[in-house]
Amino acid sequence: MDLQHISDIERAAHQGRGEVFRLGMGVLFIVGVMFYSALSGSGEGNLTLVMAAMIGGYMAMNIGANDVANNVGPAVGSKALTLAGALVIAAIFEAAGALIAGGEVIGTIRNGIIDPDLIKDSDTFVWIMLAALLAGALWLNLATAVGAPVSTTHSIVGAVLGAGMAAAGPAIVDWSTMGNIAASWVISPVLGGIFAAAFLYLVKRSITYQVDMAAAARRTVPLLVGLMAWTFASYLILKGLNRVWKVDFLSAMVYGAVVGALVFVVVRKVLHGSSGIVANTKASVNRLFTVPLIFAAALLSFAHGSNDVANAVGPLAAIVDVVSSGGVVHRDATIPTWVMMVGAIGISLGLALFGPKVIRTVGSEITELDQMRAYCIAMAATLTVIVASQLGLPVSSTHIAVGGVFGVGFLREYLKSNYDRMVGEIKAHHPEGDLAAIEAFIARFERASIEEKGQMLADLKERSKNADDPAHFSKGERKGLKKVYRRELVKRSQLMRIAAAWVITVPASALMAAVLFFMIRGMMLP
């Protein structure tokens, strides 16, 4: 055996040790949850409680591995955060959000999808919740393995739907709620993409398309960061702190505006106080968005932990409630503290152990991101949720964030195509052999502001009207020059794969849950 083969074996063994370590840590967490639940319970329901805790811990880890990537993926892809830094920040703030502001009444998971009054006994209800938890977790595990970001809410909702139908038929399902969820498959990514593209175009028009980018950044960046602080503070009050601080929409927006105004004043003072902090380059302007993106990743993680922890432990809390009450199915029950701990720790651990794959997909494998583009995606994520919640539109935070990434990529494609068309017009209106004049014109064109570019093109076309085909090109050659060269800045393969995963999430998890329900019932019945 030569040295090359030995090196290959060592590399493979090193990768294998990493996989074994991650798997071992995950198993250790689940075993710890099982032991704690065994000590907490007693009587006939103790075994059921241990099974539910085990599956709930597994579900929480899968949510951390898949769903949290949407909060930190753009920041990592833009190099505002390292992967290790993003994992630490997200893990801390996800757990903090779950423990401090999580624990809303679990009515949506328990009662919003199916009608518990149509379930004939408490044992059947417990089996439904067990099957839903396991099916949702298995689907998320599969999606994470292939690097597809999917909605954990849709996963658990589909699973509750499938298990409920298996237990009591289609009549148990609230089909109007399911219709809203199906509508969110389209509404969420479209709104996210539109908002992200609109913000990116605003940034380009107001900063990067200006001749003096440094001066434009000093004027515009404080406004953009202040707007970000306003929307994020409002989002956090409405969605992240709604359990510990109940305020109406208008009050939340007023409090957010105060925060945004303070941030605007601070950022403006910093940028104007040191003229050397911003150079007349795109890279220098990009660096101004680094700190806001770090705060955005933290706040999005906190809000996600406070809201989506119910996806992991909602069914588990329902089972704990039934077991502890002696078989009584309550419509409203709060989540016990130890169950919240399972969700908080599981989400953080799953993110740290298995999250990097989906983070890379969102951050770098759809389109190339920089700090300005990541800023636009973060703004789209918060603004879409706020607007949609006030309009009563069903949305998914996963679909919004990924839709924002695609929106940014497709806008970049359009702008690149448009620029190529303008360069083609420049070449078409210069003599064929006058290469120096063409290059000089393009150089001036690139340095000009967007208004000056339009005027230069208009002047060029006007001058060409007084000449007899100055470029000496044939009609076919001229048509070819005017064709838009479309550079694909968005990976279509990722678009198709992610869209397919979104569409089949609810039916796939529903089918898995139905099969698992029958299996669990078969094992539990005497």
Side-chain angles (χ1 to χ4, degrees):
M1 183 178 295
D2 58 26
L3 292 176
Q4 179 63 38
H5 289 161
I6 293 175
S7 299
D8 292 341
I9 293 173
E10 288 178 345
R11 281 195 296 270
H14 179 73
Q15 293 175 353
R17 284 195 296 270
E19 293 293 335
V20 171
F21 172 77
R22 287 192 289 271
L23 181 61
M25 290 296 294
V27 171
L28 186 63
F29 167 71
I30 292 175
V31 170
V33 170
M34 293 172 64
F35 270 114
Y36 185 87
S37 61
L39 295 174
S40 301
S42 61
E44 296 180 359
N46 196 30
L47 178 60
T48 301
L49 186 61
V50 171
M51 291 174 55
M54 175 187 68
I55 300 172
Y58 175 52
M59 177 67 171
M61 285 199 300
N62 279 288
I63 289 177
N66 193 287
D67 209 30
V68 183
N70 308 307
N71 303 328
V72 298
V76 172
S78 67
K79 305 297 190 296
L81 275 173
T82 63
L83 180 59
L87 292 175
V88 171
I89 289 174
I92 292 172
F93 282 89
E94 283 281 340
L99 295 174
I100 295 173
E104 274 287 292
V105 175
I106 56 177
T108 299
I109 298 297
R110 300 184 54 181
N111 311 319
I113 308 303
I114 59 175
D115 183 359
D117 293 337
L118 298 180
I119 300 172
K120 57 186 178 182
D121 55 65
S122 61
D123 287 340
T124 301
F125 180 79
V126 169
W127 300 339
I128 290 174
M129 292 295 120
L130 281 175
L133 260 181
L134 185 54
L138 287 172
W139 174 249
L140 284 175
N141 198 339
L142 178 62
T144 303
V146 300
V150 297
S151 170
T152 55
T153 303
H154 290 182
S155 299
I156 193 66
V157 164
V160 172
L161 165 72
M165 288 182 63
I172 197 174
V173 179
D174 184 344
W175 291 106
S176 62
T177 300
M178 291 307 303
N180 289 338
I181 292 172
S184 74
W185 293 341
V186 177
I187 295 172
S188 299
V190 169
L191 283 180
I194 290 173
F195 278 126
F199 273 109
L200 181 59
Y201 188 68
L202 172 65
V203 170
K204 286 183 174 293
R205 290 275 306 203
S206 59
I207 301 177
T208 58
Y209 284 172
Q210 300 300 315
V211 177
D212 190 349
M213 281 191 287
R218 293 189 191 96
R219 290 192 306 269
T220 309
V221 169
L223 289 170
L224 294 175
V225 177
L227 180 62
M228 186 181 207
W230 182 12
T231 56
F232 270 73
S234 304
Y235 176 79
L236 191 62
I237 293 170
L238 288 170
K239 297 295 181 180
L241 300 175
N242 57 345
R243 180 171 173 255
V244 295
W245 186 21
K246 292 285 188 182
V247 297
D248 57 59
F249 174 75
L250 183 59
S251 299
M253 297 302 292
V254 171
Y255 292 136
V258 172
V259 174
L262 293 174
V263 171
F264 166 77
V265 171
V266 171
V267 174
R268 189 172 182 272
K269 184 175 181 180
V270 170
L271 292 185
H272 284 267
S274 176
S275 58
I277 197 172
V278 187
N280 194 34
T281 63
K282 187 176 180 181
S284 178
V285 175
N286 259 314
R287 285 194 293 270
L288 299 177
F289 291 92
T290 299
V291 174
L293 281 173
I294 294 173
F295 278 97
L299 292 176
L300 283 172
S301 297
F302 184 91
H304 179 271
S306 66
N307 281 278
D308 284 22
V309 68
N311 294 328
V313 298
L316 172 58
I319 294 170
V320 172
D321 179 48
V322 171
V323 171
S324 62
S325 63
V328 179
V329 180
H330 296 117
R331 277 191 168 271
D332 295 320
T334 55
I335 302 179
T337 301
W338 76 268
V339 175
M340 291 296 298
M341 288 293 295
V342 170
I345 297 173
I347 287 175
S348 301
L349 187 64
L351 169 69
L353 297 177
F354 306 106
K357 188 166 187 176
V358 180
I359 289 175
R360 292 190 186 97
T361 297
V362 175
S364 60
E365 295 181 3
I366 297 175
T367 190
E368 183 181 349
L369 296 178
D370 58 19
Q371 287 93 322
M372 283 185 283
R373 297 166 197 156
Y375 160 86
C376 298
I377 295 165
M379 283 294 297
T382 53
L383 194 60
T384 303
V385 170
I386 292 173
V387 171
S389 64
Q390 295 309 304
L391 296 177
L393 299 175
V395 292
S396 162
S397 59
T398 299
H399 294 186
I400 292 169
V402 177
V405 177
F406 279 111
V408 163
F410 284 126
L411 178 65
R412 292 177 61 217
E413 280 190 0
Y414 170 77
L415 295 177
K416 174 62 182 174
S417 300
N418 198 42
Y419 182 78
D420 289 335
R421 178 186 60 79
M422 288 189 293
V423 171
E425 289 187 3
I426 292 170
K427 292 180 178 180
H429 292 90
H430 277 83
E432 185 176 6
D434 196 359
L435 182 60
I438 294 175
E439 291 178 347
F441 190 94
I442 291 176
R444 295 199 310 275
F445 188 79
E446 289 177 345
R447 292 193 302 268
S449 67
I450 191 165
E451 292 81 6
E452 292 170 341
K453 283 183 172 70
Q455 187 60 46
M456 290 173 70
L457 280 175
D459 293 342
L460 191 65
K461 291 180 179 179
E462 187 64 29
R463 290 198 303 270
S464 70
K465 292 178 181 178
N466 302 321
D468 185 18
D469 194 15
H472 305 292
F473 291 152
S474 68
K475 184 177 181 180
E477 290 171 332
R478 188 179 295 275
K479 185 177 179 180
L481 282 172
K482 290 183 178 179
K483 278 188 176 179
V484 174
Y485 169 67
R486 187 186 185 196
R487 178 179 297 176
E488 287 195 357
L489 301 177
V490 177
K491 294 182 180 178
R492 266 60 175 178
S493 59
Q494 292 285 4
L495 173 62
M496 299 304 298
R497 182 168 63 88
I498 292 173
W502 287 354
V503 170
I504 66 174
T505 288
V506 170
S509 59
L511 179 61
M512 292 170 64
V515 172
L516 288 170
F517 171 80
F518 287 121
M519 292 175 59
I520 293 171
R521 188 181 67 171
M523 290 186 292
M524 293 297 186
L525 288 176

